Amino acid sequence: TGLYKCACLKWEEVSIMDEKNIPIRTYQVCNVLEPNQNNWLRTDWIPRSGAQRVYVEVKFTLRDCNSLPGVTGTCKETFNLYYHESNEDRESYIKESSFIKVDTVAADESFTQVDVGDRIMKLNTEVRDVKVTTRKGFYLAFQDVGACIALVSVRVFYKTCPLTVRNLATFPDTITGADTSSLVEVRGSCVNQSEEREEPKMYCGADGEWLVPIGGCLCNPGYEERGGACKACRAGFYKAKSTDPGCAKCPPHSHSLRDGATICDCHAGFFRADTDPPSMACTQPPSAPQQLISVVNETSVVLEWTPPHRLGGRSDTSYSLECLICQTGSHSHTGGRFCAPCGSDVLFSPGQTGLTTTRVVVSELRAHTHYTFIVHARNGVSQASGAGAAQSVSVSVTTNQAAPSPVSSIQATDVTRHSLSLSWQQPDRPNGVILEYEVKFYEKDQRERSYRIMRTFSRSVDVTGLNPLTVYVFHVRARTAAGYGEFSTPFEFSTNSDPFPLIGEGVNSAFLLLSVSGVGILLLISAAVFIISRRRSKYSKTKQDSEEEKHLNPGVKIYVDPFTYEDPDQAIHEFAKEIDVSSIHIEKVIGMGEFGEVCSGRLRVQGKREIYVAIKSLKAGYSDKQRRDFLSEASIMGQFDHPNIIRLEGVVTRCKPLMIITEYMENGSLDAFLRKHDGQFTVIQLVGMLRGIASGMKYLSDMNYVHRDLAARNILVNSNLVCKVSDFGLSRVLEDDPEAATGTYLSPGGKIPIRWTAPEAIAYRKFTTASDVWSYGIVMWEVVSYGERPYWDMNNQDVIKAIEEGYRLPAPMDCPVVLHQLMLDCWERDRAERPTFSQILNMLDKLIRNPGTLRRTGGERYLQYPQAQYWSQGWWSLCEWLQSIGLERYRDTLAAAGYTSLDSLLALTHQVKIKHKTRTKQKQLRL
Ligand code: ACK
C-alpha cells in the first residue's frame, strides 16, 4: 500500500494468493521483451520520526530470465532502490534526478520456491539501509529496468536500543545512530529510591544493542536492590548507607519498627554515640570507677582506681578528674564544706581529662589543704544518656607539708682570715615548719670536688677553718618534715688577711646596751600606746558570738550535741562508722586516756591503703554513764571534718572492748612535744603551728561548738608537725584526769581548767567561743614559751585573783611584739572585745606572709635604768620610777616576783643581760 505507480503505469497492482492461500496485493512489472525499460514505483512520504538510519526490507519475486520463453537480451534480473529526503509530505511529482540510489537489488542465488497456485514463486527478501538525516521524512522509489518482478512487501523501519535498566539506572528506548558504526552515548537515570554512584552511561549500537555500561546507581539508605529495583528494608532490618551491600539485621539492643529504616533505634536505657556506626550494638554508660585510693605525698596526691564494674558494652571508657579545694566553714552549702575548683596551677599527670589509664598524679597542690577529687567515668554514650550520666567516685585528702623553696640570699659578716659568719632569710615559701638548714660550701677553685656540710637550726652559722684570701662558694637549703628543699644559688665570699673581724671602734658595750635599751623602751612605749588606742576599736565591730547573739546562717552545718539523742547508740551510728574489729591491728600502748589505754596500731579498710591509727579503749567494768561519755567523744568528733581537727576513723561498739579509732599523730601532744624540742623552732614555725590550731578552732566555732578545754595538752602533732585539736569528751570533770591532780580543773561548781579559762567562765560558767579565744591566747603563750606552764607555779586562787586585778602573762622570751599583743587581745576582760577565731586566723596569715613583722621582739626591752632621783631605794621609789616611765601597771608583777625595791631591781638587770643563756622564764621580768 501507499506505492505510487509512476506516470508510465508499467507497474501493476495485482492480487495473488500467498502460500497459505491468503490473498495478498503485489505490484508487478514484467516488460522483459521490450528494451529500455524505466518504470518507477514510489512510496508515500515516510516521516523519519527521529530515525537517522532506516532499513528497507523488500520482499519480492523475480523471474529468472532463462525461465521465460523467447526472451532476448533485454530481460533483467535486478531492480534499483532509490530514496529522496523531503520535508514535504505531499510531493506529487518528484524528478527522477532528485532520487538518490540506495542499491541495485538482485534476487538471491537460490530462488526460494513458493507455490502460488499452479505457479512456483521464488520469494526474495532483501534489506537495505540508508542514512536519512537531513529532512523530516523521505520517499522511497523502485526502478525497474526490464525485469519480471513482483513486489510483495516493503517494510521500512528503524532500530532502537530498547528501554532497559542496568546497574539500577534506567536507559530509555534509544534510536540508533546515523552510521552503521556509530554509537549513541546515553545517560541513564537512577531508578526510584536510588542515587548516582557514578554517572550511569551506556552506548546504543547501530544494530540496537546496548554496549559498554559505565557507572550506575545505588539504592538509597533504607533500601536494597531486589530485581533491578530498590525495595525498602523490612522491619527489624536497616540499611544506613547507600554503599552498604543490602539491608542488615538490627544490631543488639536495637530495633526498627517500620520498613525503610536507615538506622535501628536503641532499646530503652541503651544509647548510641554520635560516632558509633549504625552497625554497632547500642550501649550504656559505665558505672562508677571503683576502689579509688589516694596517697598523699607532700603536696602531690597519687590517685588510683579500678575500672567500673559495668563498662556498658563499650571499650572507650575514659576518666576525668575534678579537683575541688574545700574549706570548712560557714559558707558551706553541703555538709559544712565549701568547695571551689582548684584553679589552673594544679598539674595532672598524665592529664585531667580523657584519661584511659587509672592512675593520676596531681601535683603543685597547696600544702596543708583539704582537697576533694572526683573521678568521673565516661564513655561514648555518657553524654547521649543525659545529665548525671558520668558516674563518679570521690576522695577527700589533705595535703602535707612540701619541701621548702630555696633560700634566696645569703650574707656574710665578720669575715676574717679563717672564718666568716653567714646569715640568710627564711625561704619565701617554707611550706611548713623548718626543722633545720644545711650549708654546703667549698673552695671555688675546687669546684664541688670536695665540700663541707654544716647543719643549724638557726638562720646563721659561723664557718671556721677556712683558708685565708680564698673564695668560697656557699649554698644553703632548708628542711621541713617534708624533706630538704632545693639548695640556694651559689653565693661567693672571700676570706681576707685580717685575723679579726672589723667592728665599730671605741664603743663602750655597757653604754651601747643602755642606749639600745633606752631607744627600745621608747619605741615600745609609743608602740604600746598606738596599739592600745587602735585596739579599742579593732575587734569591737565583730560582736563575740555568745549563744544569744549568734545568728545562724541557714545551710551552715551546726554541731549536734549527742546528749540531745535519747538513745546514745543512735547518735554514735549517725556520726561514726562502725569498724570491724578484724581490720584493726593493735601494736603498742602509747598512753593512758580518761577511760583506758590509748594504743597505736594499723587499720585496713577495704579499698583503702592501710593507715596508722590511735585506738582509745573503754576499760572493762564501765558503767552505763561511762559508756555514754566515752562514746560521746566519737559522736562529737565524727561531726567534724577539718585538717586541723583530729579525724575519727570509726568506732567498735559491736564487741568489747569498745574502741574509738582516730588518725595517728606521731608526735603526741603539743605541750610535751614543745618541751622536748625547747628553743628549736623559728618564730615562723611556731606561728605555723598556731595558725593550724586557730584554723581548727575557727571551724569548731563556725559549727557552734565550744571546746571548753583548749590547751596545748589537747592539741596533737603529727609527723608533719601539723597541729590538730583533739579531746572532745564532755566528761573532763572525771576524777582520774591527770590535770585534776595538779589542780587544773579546780573551780567551785565543777572542774574547770583554771589557767586556760576565761574569767566569766570561771565565775559563772559562761562558756562561749569567746572563752575558747581566751584559752587560745593561753595556748599561744604555751607554744611561744615551748610548753611552759601558764602562770608557772602560782596557785589557782592567785591566778584568778591576778587576772581579776588586770595582770596578764608577759611575753615569753623572744616573743614577737605582735604575737604578745594578740595574746593580750585574747585576754580582754570584756569578751566582746576579744578577736574572733576568724580574725586571729587572718592576723596569723598576715604575719606568715610578712615575716618581717615578727622580727620585733620584746627581747631588748630591758628595764630602763632608773635615774638618780629614784635612787633613794625602797618600794615607794620603785613605784615612782615605774610611773615615770609609764609602766606602773607592772608594779604588782614585780612585787609578786619578789622585787620590792629599786635595789633588788638593779640586781635584776644582771640577770636580764644573761637572759640568752637561761630559759628560766618564771623569774625573768619581761615587760
Ligand atoms: O602526749 P602523748 O604521747 O599523746 O600521750 C597522750 C596519750 O595518748 C593519752 O591521751 C596520746 N594520744 C592520744 N590520741 C592520740 C593520737 N590520735 N595519736 C597519737 N597519740 C595520741 C597522747
Side-chain angles (χ1 to χ4, degrees):
T1 60
L3 287 171
Y4 283 84
K5 288 173 282 183
C6 300
C8 49
L9 296 176
K10 295 278 175 62
W11 287 86
E12 285 173 309
E13 198 177 339
V14 180
S15 287
I16 57 169
M17 296 296 183
D18 71 3
E19 66 271 26
K20 291 176 187 149
N21 251 355
I22 296 166
I24 53 167
R25 304 283 286 176
T26 65
Y27 286 96
Q28 296 186 1
V29 64
C30 194
N31 296 333
V32 289
L33 298 176
E34 293 167 34
N36 303 325
Q37 291 299 305
N38 183 22
N39 309 314
W40 288 77
L41 179 72
R42 88 165 160 85
T43 63
D44 283 341
W45 183 79
I46 304 168
R48 185 156 70 87
S49 305
Q52 304 188 77
R53 173 161 294 273
V54 293
Y55 294 81
V56 183
E57 181 199 75
V58 187
K59 289 194 172 169
F60 61 95
T61 60
L62 197 74
R63 292 290 293 266
D64 181 356
C65 286
N66 291 334
S67 67
L68 294 168
V71 173
T72 58
T74 55
C75 178
K76 299 281 185 323
E77 289 180 352
T78 61
F79 65 91
N80 297 321
L81 177 66
Y82 284 87
Y83 77 104
H84 162 67
E85 287 188 83
S86 169
N87 289 330
E88 186 62 60
D89 60 354
R90 275 178 223 284
E91 282 188 75
S92 51
Y93 176 74
I94 308 166
K95 285 190 286 182
E96 268 179 45
S97 59
S98 303
F99 282 94
I100 300 165
K101 187 172 172 181
V102 178
D103 200 6
T104 297
V105 182
D108 288 345
E109 258 179 74
S110 64
F111 286 42
T112 313
Q113 294 257 326
V114 179
D115 285 328
V116 180
D118 53 349
R119 286 191 292 148
I120 294 170
M121 279 215 325
K122 295 173 183 172
L123 189 62
N124 291 281
T125 302
E126 290 292 324
V127 180
R128 296 292 180 273
D129 55 282
V130 59
K131 182 172 162 181
V132 279
T133 53
T134 59
R135 300 286 190 279
K136 284 186 194 157
F138 58 91
Y139 296 89
L140 291 175
F142 302 89
Q143 182 194 27
D144 167 52
V145 285
C148 191
I149 182 171
L151 278 180
V152 176
S153 77
V154 177
R155 195 164 68 93
V156 181
F157 59 94
Y158 58 83
K159 289 188 180 177
T160 63
C161 293
L163 177 139
T164 189
V165 174
R166 290 282 175 88
N167 298 337
L168 291 175
T170 306
F171 293 90
D173 197 15
T174 305
I175 300 169
T176 56
D179 298 310
T180 47
S181 60
S182 67
L183 294 174
V184 179
E185 187 185 294
V186 182
R187 204 186 173 292
S189 51
C190 292
V191 298
N192 269 351
Q193 299 297 351
S194 73
E195 63 191 33
E196 227 173 78
R197 166 173 48 102
E198 193 190 328
E199 186 183 26
K201 272 195 305 192
M202 218 159 36
Y203 293 94
C204 177
D207 57 356
E209 289 291 324
W210 289 106
L211 301 167
V212 204
I214 298 170
C217 303
L218 294 167
C219 286
N220 287 343
Y223 289 81
E224 66 180 351
E225 183 178 353
R226 262 180 261 146
C230 290
K231 299 280 167 56
C233 298
R234 289 189 295 270
F237 289 78
Y238 77 102
K239 194 182 105 175
K241 283 189 275 155
S242 51
T243 46
D244 290 345
C247 299
K249 216 167 168 323
C250 284
H253 307 300
S254 70
H255 58 270
S256 66
L257 297 175
R258 275 193 243 122
D259 288 356
T262 56
I263 192 157
C264 298
D265 299 326
C266 290
H267 292 164
F270 287 82
F271 308 93
R272 190 176 275 128
D274 292 345
T275 50
D276 286 352
S279 59
M280 191 173 141
C282 290
T283 53
Q284 291 178 306
S287 55
Q290 305 182 89
Q291 293 165 9
L292 175 59
I293 291 176
S294 62
V295 180
V296 178
N297 180 9
E298 298 180 359
T299 55
S300 310
V301 178
V302 179
L303 297 171
E304 267 184 88
W305 60 92
T306 54
H309 161 67
R310 198 167 35 80
L311 293 176
R314 304 181 66 89
S315 54
D316 60 349
T317 307
S318 70
Y319 307 97
S320 63
L321 218 72
E322 206 179 325
C323 173
L324 299 174
I325 190 161
C326 295
Q327 287 166 2
T328 42
S330 57
H331 301 288
S332 146
H333 295 287
T334 45
R337 185 176 289 184
F338 176 82
C339 294
C342 290
S344 56
D345 40 358
V346 175
L347 295 183
F348 300 85
S349 173
Q352 188 176 5
T353 54
L355 295 163
T356 49
T357 54
T358 55
R359 184 177 189 273
V360 171
V361 180
V362 188
S363 52
E364 303 284 313
L365 296 167
R366 291 189 216 159
H368 274 306
T369 306
H370 211 68
Y371 286 91
T372 294
F373 295 100
I374 306 171
V375 182
H376 299 282
R378 284 200 172 78
N379 65 14
V381 296
S382 290
Q383 201 168 6
S385 60
Q391 298 296 318
S392 58
V393 60
S394 70
V395 68
S396 292
V397 300
T398 304
T399 48
N400 295 335
Q401 286 177 317
S405 62
V407 165
S408 52
S409 88
I410 307 175
Q411 287 89 38
T413 51
D414 300 347
V415 181
T416 70
R417 284 158 64 89
H418 296 295
S419 68
L420 50 78
S421 294
L422 282 187
S423 61
W424 54 88
Q425 290 299 311
Q426 179 168 277
D428 295 339
R429 281 178 290 107
N431 285 336
V433 175
I434 291 181
L435 300 176
E436 69 177 359
Y437 291 96
E438 187 177 84
V439 180
K440 176 168 98 172
F441 63 98
Y442 45 86
E443 285 181 25
K444 191 177 180 189
D445 295 345
Q446 290 286 312
R447 303 268 162 82
E448 277 189 74
R449 277 193 293 270
S450 82
Y451 58 81
R452 280 167 61 195
I453 292 279
M454 294 179 76
R455 295 205 174 87
T456 171
F457 289 122
S458 63
R459 280 182 285 103
S460 61
V461 72
D462 293 334
V463 187
T464 54
L466 304 176
N467 294 326
L469 289 171
T470 308
V471 178
Y472 284 88
V473 179
F474 295 88
H475 303 263
V476 178
R477 64 178 179 175
R479 181 169 74 84
T480 63
Y484 279 110
E486 298 269 306
F487 269 117
S488 64
T489 49
F491 285 85
E492 294 180 12
F493 301 109
S494 171
T495 48
N496 57 31
S497 54
D498 294 312
F500 302 108
L502 286 172
I503 53 167
E505 282 166 290
V507 179
N508 174 311
S509 55
F511 174 80
L512 195 67
L513 175 71
L514 277 178
S515 15
V516 168
S517 308
V519 171
I521 206 151
L522 278 179
L523 278 175
L524 170 77
I525 290 166
S526 43
V529 168
F530 176 66
I531 291 168
I532 289 166
S533 66
R534 291 204 52 177
R535 222 182 60 202
R536 291 280 100 213
S537 59
K538 195 159 64 177
Y539 303 116
S540 51
K541 261 190 241 130
T542 314
K543 280 267 179 223
Q544 265 303 329
D545 41 357
S546 64
E547 289 89 336
E548 317 87 84
E549 289 161 349
K550 194 138 200 156
H551 298 287
L552 300 180
N553 294 332
V556 174
K557 196 175 162 198
I558 294 298
Y559 152 77
V560 182
D561 181 351
F563 285 89
T564 57
Y565 282 72
E566 260 173 43
D567 174 7
D569 280 359
Q570 195 194 336
I572 191 79
H573 287 118
E574 184 134 326
F575 300 123
K577 196 166 65 186
E578 179 73 28
I579 290 182
D580 186 14
V581 76
S582 65
S583 51
I584 305 166
H585 298 276
I586 297 177
E587 284 178 344
K588 63 174 187 238
V589 178
I590 53 171
M592 273 310 287
E594 294 161 16
F595 297 91
E597 288 153 354
V598 181
C599 300
S600 66
R602 284 173 289 133
L603 170 70
R604 167 144 231 152
V605 177
Q606 226 201 340
K608 286 195 175 166
R609 291 266 154 84
E610 190 173 66
I611 54 166
Y612 281 98
V613 287
I615 305 145
K616 284 187 182 179
S617 48
L618 177 59
K619 59 183 174 239
Y622 52 83
S623 66
D624 255 11
K625 180 170 183 313
Q626 280 175 319
R627 178 182 191 273
R628 201 171 338 140
D629 289 343
F630 175 73
L631 291 179
S632 72
E633 177 167 23
S635 300
I636 296 168
M637 217 189 298
Q639 298 182 46
F640 304 142
D641 179 15
H642 188 273
N644 297 101
I645 305 290
I646 192 88
R647 190 180 66 248
L648 177 73
E649 294 296 342
V651 289
V652 177
T653 63
R654 304 230 162 97
C655 59
K656 286 180 186 157
L658 300 194
M659 296 184 210
I660 296 176
I661 320 293
T662 64
E663 64 181 307
Y664 181 60
M665 302 293 286
E666 293 82 348
N667 282 315
S669 43
L670 177 61
D671 59 338
F673 173 71
L674 288 171
R675 284 195 280 272
K676 198 167 141 199
H677 297 278
D678 190 2
Q680 290 182 7
F681 301 118
T682 63
V683 174
I684 280 285
Q685 291 173 312
L686 299 177
V687 173
M689 296 178 195
L690 290 173
R691 189 217 177 266
I693 303 166
S695 173
M697 287 309 297
K698 176 186 178 301
Y699 173 80
L700 293 181
S701 67
D702 286 343
M703 281 189 73
N704 236 14
Y705 178 80
V706 179
H707 191 287
R708 296 174 175 227
D709 194 8
L710 178 58
R713 66 180 169 280
N714 289 329
I715 304 294
L716 291 168
V717 186
N718 74 7
S719 59
N720 293 320
L721 302 192
V722 178
C723 291
K724 306 199 182 195
V725 180
S726 81
D727 196 1
F728 299 100
L730 288 176
S731 55
R732 57 183 55 92
V733 289
L734 284 181
E735 310 303 335
D736 51 359
D737 189 295
E739 278 295 336
T742 58
T744 299
Y745 294 99
L746 276 184
S747 90
K751 288 185 177 172
I752 289 176
I754 299 295
R755 279 151 221 272
W756 283 267
T757 305
E760 75 276 7
I762 297 173
Y764 49 100
R765 307 188 69 77
K766 183 74 187 163
F767 285 97
T768 60
T769 289
S771 62
D772 276 353
V773 166
W774 179 290
S775 312
Y776 179 79
I778 305 290
V779 172
M780 286 182 75
W781 191 90
E782 290 185 275
V783 168
V784 183
S785 63
Y786 285 95
E788 182 65 270
R789 182 170 169 78
Y791 313 95
W792 308 283
D793 50 9
M794 280 169 80
N795 67 41
N796 279 347
Q797 284 314 319
D798 288 349
V799 171
I800 293 171
K801 211 163 138 240
I803 294 299
E804 192 50 41
E805 286 174 6
Y807 173 80
R808 296 293 183 266
L809 282 167
M813 191 173 71
D814 293 335
C815 177
V817 170
V818 279
L819 284 188
H820 188 231
Q821 186 54 56
L822 190 54
M823 294 176 203
L824 293 172
D825 291 346
C826 294
W827 302 326
E828 278 287 349
R829 171 183 299 279
D830 178 359
R831 68 177 193 279
E833 287 295 315
R834 294 172 204 156
T836 62
F837 280 115
S838 166
Q839 288 169 327
I840 294 172
L841 193 61
N842 283 343
M843 175 76 162
L844 295 177
D845 280 338
K846 255 190 233 155
L847 298 181
I848 292 168
R849 278 198 299 274
N850 308 295
T853 50
L854 290 164
R855 236 170 263 151
R856 201 161 65 80
T857 67
E860 277 70 46
R861 286 187 289 121
Y862 309 127
L863 279 181
Q864 196 179 23
Y865 215 70
Q867 289 152 16
Q869 75 252 38
Y870 300 110
W871 282 70
S872 55
Q873 294 158 32
W875 171 244
W876 190 238
S877 58
L878 173 64
C879 295
E880 275 181 351
W881 173 67
L882 284 173
Q883 202 174 11
S884 77
I885 58 171
L887 297 174
E888 72 274 34
R889 66 181 183 283
Y890 292 107
R891 188 191 60 200
D892 293 347
T893 317
L894 289 168
Y899 301 105
T900 50
S901 68
L902 261 177
D903 264 353
S904 54
L905 196 64
L906 286 172
L908 171 74
T909 56
H910 300 292
Q911 257 181 289
V912 172
K913 281 180 202 160
I914 58 164
K915 74 181 178 62
H916 284 286
K917 304 222 166 62
T918 170
R919 301 194 71 85
T920 318
K921 296 160 197 98
Q922 189 184 351
K923 283 285 170 197
Q924 278 173 17
L925 184 65
R926 310 295 306 279
L927 299 184

